[in-house]
């Protein structure tokens, strides 16, 4: 295989802090090359340089043996490079077709945008990718998984030579990941080089030919996937080997803290019933669109309920808004943290303590000491977030570190029931292990956890019971000895 891309000795600093130090990366024609590294290792920065979003301080980039000067996103595109960024870049009020063709709209003879052709081509393309999405749909109305597929479809449609995918599967379930992998295999067949960033190690076995590992802005090694092991990769990434990833003991008690009966809320939540025990980790499984996140929104007062009842500690609960939910001790770490959780230009401090101001603002006096100690406990000790100062805007942190701050916020604010919607999405393997330990510790102390995840292994390993949802309905509750991938799939897909 001939060399398609070579990045050599790439360095980059932000305000004097070096985040990339002489990093290397080579990609062959038709190769899927994965980039692996902890949150903040510099993966996104490296590919933003390739994509022309950032300029490098040092280093050289060759494409098919020729030295290039990538100076802007535009010039990167002219070299045939397309980047699907970690943060989606779609325009929410435009349609799927408009987004896919943005900047390259087909024109009619009269010079206006040929919407019909655009919709037709998009429909054909979506069909080829086996996506159940309509060209005329407004992107902002699609769930995040579908938005991600549109973003991917857009990059592929341009006929690029090098496609970079920065955590493309972070909100996809297994079925959708398969659709994406099929598309990637087609691209491989055409000789396209793919740089693939993911924290899901099992995906790398399935799709990556080689893996380059980075740590703290340094190039560590490049290995051939089939000649390596997860343990070896983890030790390259973290600098040492990790113990058991999962840490799970049964802390579930008899006492029911929350009981939901025939809840309905909009067309996504039709008939949901379940019980949550004190100290329990209750998993929620289902396909994208099964209504898991929407159910939690209803519980958390973010979505209007049409029918059904909620009981907290045996008493009927009225949850009309977030404040009510918090008064019942409920906290939610949302799935789409970018949309629902992050105040991007505000600092880490603001983003961490915004929900718990009352804890250090007592009787008109503000205790900075108290606030700092809360931040220190959660952001530093529990989540081990990487940042330079507590007033640093959260938008400047790496994707995974932004999430750690938002998780810290809700850990701090939750008293009884913590709802985690895809909490390990985009989070490196070491922090994943930390989050699992944390869940175990919190439940030991009597907190109850609702855990939504699209990653089957973590659900199976971390939950006491799993509720399966299918088209807005709860279709079954499995106990630990009934957990199998097959049983869960059966309940998530059976005809209703
Ligand atoms: N625009 C910026 N200004 C200042 N610092 C930045 C900027 N962009 C990235 N950084 C810093 O560079 C480092 C590397 O970040 P990067 O986003 O490349 O990490 P990553 O490997 O993609 O991590 P993740 O897995 O969390 O997405 C981080 O410490 C981050 O805070
Ligand atoms: Mg990143």
């Amino acid at each position: 295989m001939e060399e398609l891309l070579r990045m050599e000795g790439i360095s980059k600093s932000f305000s004097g802090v070096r985040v990339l130090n002489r990093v290397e990366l080579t990609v062959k024609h038709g190769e899927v090359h994965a980039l692996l590294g902890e949150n903040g290792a510099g993966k996104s920065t490296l590919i933003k340089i390739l994509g022309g979003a950032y300029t490098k301080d040092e280093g050289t980039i060759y494409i098919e043996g020729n030295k290039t000067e990538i100076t802007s996103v535009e010039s990167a595109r002219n070299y045939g490079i397309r980047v699907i960024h970690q943060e989606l870049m779609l325009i929410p009020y435009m349609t799927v077709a408009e987004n896919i063709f943005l900047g390259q709209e087909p024109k009619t003879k009269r010079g206006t945008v040929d919407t019909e052709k655009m919709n037709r081509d998009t429909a054909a393309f979506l069909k080829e990718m086996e996506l159940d999405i309509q060209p005329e749909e407004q992107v902002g109305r699609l769930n995040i998984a579908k938005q991600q597929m549109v973003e991917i479809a857009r990059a592929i449609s341009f006929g690029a030579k090098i496609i970079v995918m920065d955590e493309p599967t972070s909100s996809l379930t297994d079925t959708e990941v398969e659709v994406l992998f099929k598309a990637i295999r087609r691209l491989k067949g055409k000789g396209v080089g793919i740089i693939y960033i993911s924290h899901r190690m099992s995906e790398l076995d399935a799709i990556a030919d080689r893996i380059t590992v980075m740590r703290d802005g340094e190039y560590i090694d490049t290995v051939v996937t089939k000649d390596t092991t997860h343990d070896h990769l983890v030790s390259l990434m973290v600098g040492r080997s990790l113990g058991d990833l999962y840490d799970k003991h049964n802390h579930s008690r008899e006492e029911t803290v929350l009981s939901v009966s025939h809840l309905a809320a909009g067309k996504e939540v039709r008939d949901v019933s379940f019980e949550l025990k004190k100290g329990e980790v209750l998993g929620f499984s289902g396909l994208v669109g099964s209504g898991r996140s929407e159910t939690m929104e209803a519980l958390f007062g973010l979505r209007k309920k049409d029918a059904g009842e909620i009981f907290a500690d045996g008493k009927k609960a009225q949850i009309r808004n977030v404040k009510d939910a918090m008064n019942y001790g409920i906290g939610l770490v949302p799935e789409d943290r970018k949309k629902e959780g992050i105040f991007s230009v505000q600092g880490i401090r603001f983003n961490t303590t915004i929900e718990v101001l009352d804890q250090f603002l007592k009787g008109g006096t503000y205790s900075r000491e108290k606030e700092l100690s809360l931040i220190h406990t959660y952001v530093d000790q529990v989540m081990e977030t990487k940042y330079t100062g507590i007033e640093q805007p959260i938008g400047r942190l790496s994707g995974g570190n932004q999430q750690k701050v938002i998780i810290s916020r809700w850990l701090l604010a939750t008293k009884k029931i913590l709802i985690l919607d895809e909490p390990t999405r985009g989070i490196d393997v070491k922090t994943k292990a930390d989050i699992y330990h944390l869940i175990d510790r919190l439940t030991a102390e009597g907190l109850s956890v609702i855990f939504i995840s699209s990653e089957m292994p973590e659900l199976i390993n971390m939950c006491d019971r799993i509720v399966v949802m299918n088209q807005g309905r709860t279709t079954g509750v499995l106990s630990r000895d009934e957990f199998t991938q097959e049983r869960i799939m059966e309940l998530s897909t059976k005809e209703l």
Side-chain angles (χ1 to χ4, degrees):
M1 274 196 285
E2 193 197 325
E3 197 167 271
L4 171 59
L5 169 75
R6 166 174 293 266
M7 296 181 82
E8 228 173 50
I10 308 289
S11 300
K12 175 79 184 168
S13 299
F14 289 107
S15 357
V17 181
R18 194 166 253 231
V19 300
L20 290 181
N21 188 24
R22 309 193 52 77
V23 176
E24 316 278 318
L25 178 68
T26 59
V27 180
K28 299 171 190 172
H29 284 283
E31 179 187 30
V32 177
H33 195 124
L35 264 183
L36 191 64
E38 286 184 73
N39 295 129
K43 305 175 297 293
S44 295
T45 305
L46 183 69
I47 60 103
K48 279 179 184 164
I49 288 172
L50 180 65
Y54 290 162
T55 49
K56 56 186 163 34
D57 299 338
E58 278 171 30
T60 321
I61 301 174
Y62 301 90
I63 291 175
E64 293 174 327
N66 302 313
K67 196 172 160 189
T68 62
E69 275 314 323
I70 296 169
T71 50
S72 63
V73 174
E74 198 54 51
S75 79
R77 280 183 191 171
N78 293 337
Y79 283 114
I81 300 163
R82 273 274 157 179
V83 181
I84 303 165
H85 288 285
Q86 196 168 3
E87 308 81 28
L88 298 181
M89 306 264 183
L90 298 168
I91 301 179
Y93 55 83
M94 298 203 332
T95 69
V96 171
E98 285 165 347
N99 267 285
I100 287 183
F101 280 92
L102 191 67
Q104 50 163 18
E105 294 86 355
K107 296 280 159 62
T108 60
K109 283 195 195 99
R110 281 183 295 135
T112 56
V113 173
D114 191 344
T115 312
E116 236 170 75
K117 178 170 165 45
M118 217 161 71
N119 285 339
R120 224 172 30 239
D121 290 357
T122 303
F125 191 68
L126 293 171
K127 187 154 176 255
E128 191 192 329
M129 283 187 69
E130 296 168 42
L131 294 177
D132 178 26
I133 301 173
Q134 301 310 312
E136 299 89 351
E137 273 179 272
Q138 200 180 327
V139 158
R141 298 249 168 98
L142 299 175
N143 67 34
I144 183 150
K146 284 189 171 172
Q147 291 192 20
Q148 215 158 15
M149 294 310 279
V150 171
E151 181 94 40
I152 290 161
R154 171 160 80 172
I156 293 174
S157 75
F158 274 86
K161 255 188 225 172
I162 299 168
I163 296 181
V164 184
M165 302 185 180
D166 196 351
E167 299 189 32
T169 56
S170 56
S171 57
L172 306 185
T173 58
D174 292 352
T175 324
E176 291 140 333
V177 170
E178 252 333 294
V179 174
L180 172 67
F181 282 5
K182 256 195 216 160
I184 291 181
R185 289 188 192 108
R186 268 201 299 270
L187 291 166
K188 260 174 84 87
K190 291 182 187 163
V192 174
I194 290 148
I195 301 173
Y196 189 89
I197 302 179
S198 174
H199 289 293
R200 294 185 181 179
M201 307 262 284
S202 56
E203 287 181 354
L204 304 189
D205 298 331
I207 202 76
D209 299 300
R210 290 190 299 161
I211 302 169
T212 287
V213 182
M214 295 173 63
R215 190 196 319 145
D216 288 332
E218 306 271 350
Y219 169 86
I220 301 295
D221 200 2
T222 299
V223 296
V224 174
T225 313
K226 64 172 170 29
D227 300 337
T228 192
T229 61
H230 285 192
D231 283 346
H232 182 59
L233 287 171
V234 169
S235 66
L236 290 176
M237 251 170 94
V238 184
R240 61 181 169 87
S241 56
L242 283 182
D244 240 352
L245 182 59
Y246 303 106
D247 179 17
K248 172 67 191 155
H249 304 89
N250 184 359
H251 304 297
S252 191
R253 314 179 193 176
E254 272 312 302
E255 192 183 332
T256 300
V257 289
L258 185 80
S259 145
V260 173
S261 156
H262 300 294
L263 179 71
K267 68 174 169 38
E268 291 88 354
V269 183
R270 292 169 184 273
D271 188 1
V272 169
S273 302
F274 66 91
E275 281 191 351
L276 174 68
K277 303 278 182 196
K278 189 177 168 109
E280 181 176 36
V281 183
L282 184 64
F284 269 73
S285 192
L287 302 180
V288 165
S290 57
R292 294 171 301 169
S293 299
E294 290 82 359
T295 298
M296 300 313 151
E297 284 171 13
L299 273 183
F300 195 54
L302 288 168
R303 167 181 280 263
K304 198 178 144 294
K305 289 173 269 300
D306 302 323
E309 289 178 325
I310 298 172
F311 297 88
D313 292 329
K315 288 190 279 293
K316 195 162 167 4
Q318 280 295 343
I319 302 176
R320 286 151 305 202
N321 50 42
V322 173
K323 192 147 186 302
D324 288 346
M326 286 179 70
N327 285 337
Y328 285 108
I330 304 175
L332 168 81
V333 176
E335 174 186 27
D336 187 352
R337 284 174 278 264
K338 176 133 193 220
K339 193 169 101 209
E340 290 156 40
I342 287 180
F343 300 93
S344 189
V345 297
Q346 299 283 355
I348 311 234
R349 182 176 61 82
F350 180 94
N351 273 287
T352 308
T353 56
I354 169 88
E355 298 291 347
V356 293
L357 300 176
D358 55 324
Q359 292 192 18
F360 47 85
L361 263 177
K362 284 225 169 72
T365 55
Y366 161 66
S367 163
R368 182 168 170 86
E369 212 175 311
K370 183 84 199 289
E371 183 177 26
L372 293 185
S373 106
L374 285 176
I375 294 172
H376 182 66
T377 308
Y378 287 90
V379 178
D380 299 331
Q381 289 179 333
V382 177
M383 299 304 297
E384 297 188 35
T385 314
K386 259 194 210 163
Y387 61 100
T388 51
I390 58 164
E391 299 304 337
Q392 185 184 12
I394 191 172
R396 291 283 168 81
L397 299 187
S398 81
N401 282 300
Q402 295 188 10
Q403 297 192 39
K404 291 183 186 182
V405 174
I406 303 304
I407 294 177
S408 303
R409 178 196 298 167
W410 287 106
L411 284 177
L412 229 111
T414 302
K415 296 189 190 76
K416 281 188 181 158
I417 299 168
L418 180 63
I419 305 173
L420 299 169
D421 196 349
E422 304 281 0
T424 62
R425 181 175 136 198
I427 280 194
D428 68 50
V429 58
K430 178 173 167 297
T431 314
K432 266 186 196 170
D434 291 344
I435 291 180
Y436 301 146
H437 287 293
L438 180 75
I439 290 176
D440 197 56
R441 212 183 72 210
L442 292 171
T443 47
E445 290 165 8
L447 194 86
S448 305
V449 172
I450 291 180
F451 190 178
I452 302 185
S453 172
S454 299
E455 273 189 76
M456 211 68 101
E458 75 178 13
L459 273 188
I460 289 177
N461 281 291
M462 284 307 298
C463 297
D464 295 301
R465 293 182 304 148
I466 296 176
V467 176
V468 184
M469 284 190 67
N470 180 356
Q471 298 168 50
R473 293 177 170 84
T474 39
T475 48
V477 182
L478 303 175
S479 57
R480 243 177 122 78
D481 52 0
E482 302 168 304
F483 290 177
T484 59
Q485 212 131 321
E486 293 71 34
R487 187 80 186 102
I488 294 172
M489 270 321 268
E490 195 182 301
L491 290 170
S492 2
T493 52
K494 74 172 181 198
E495 292 291 325
L496 294 177

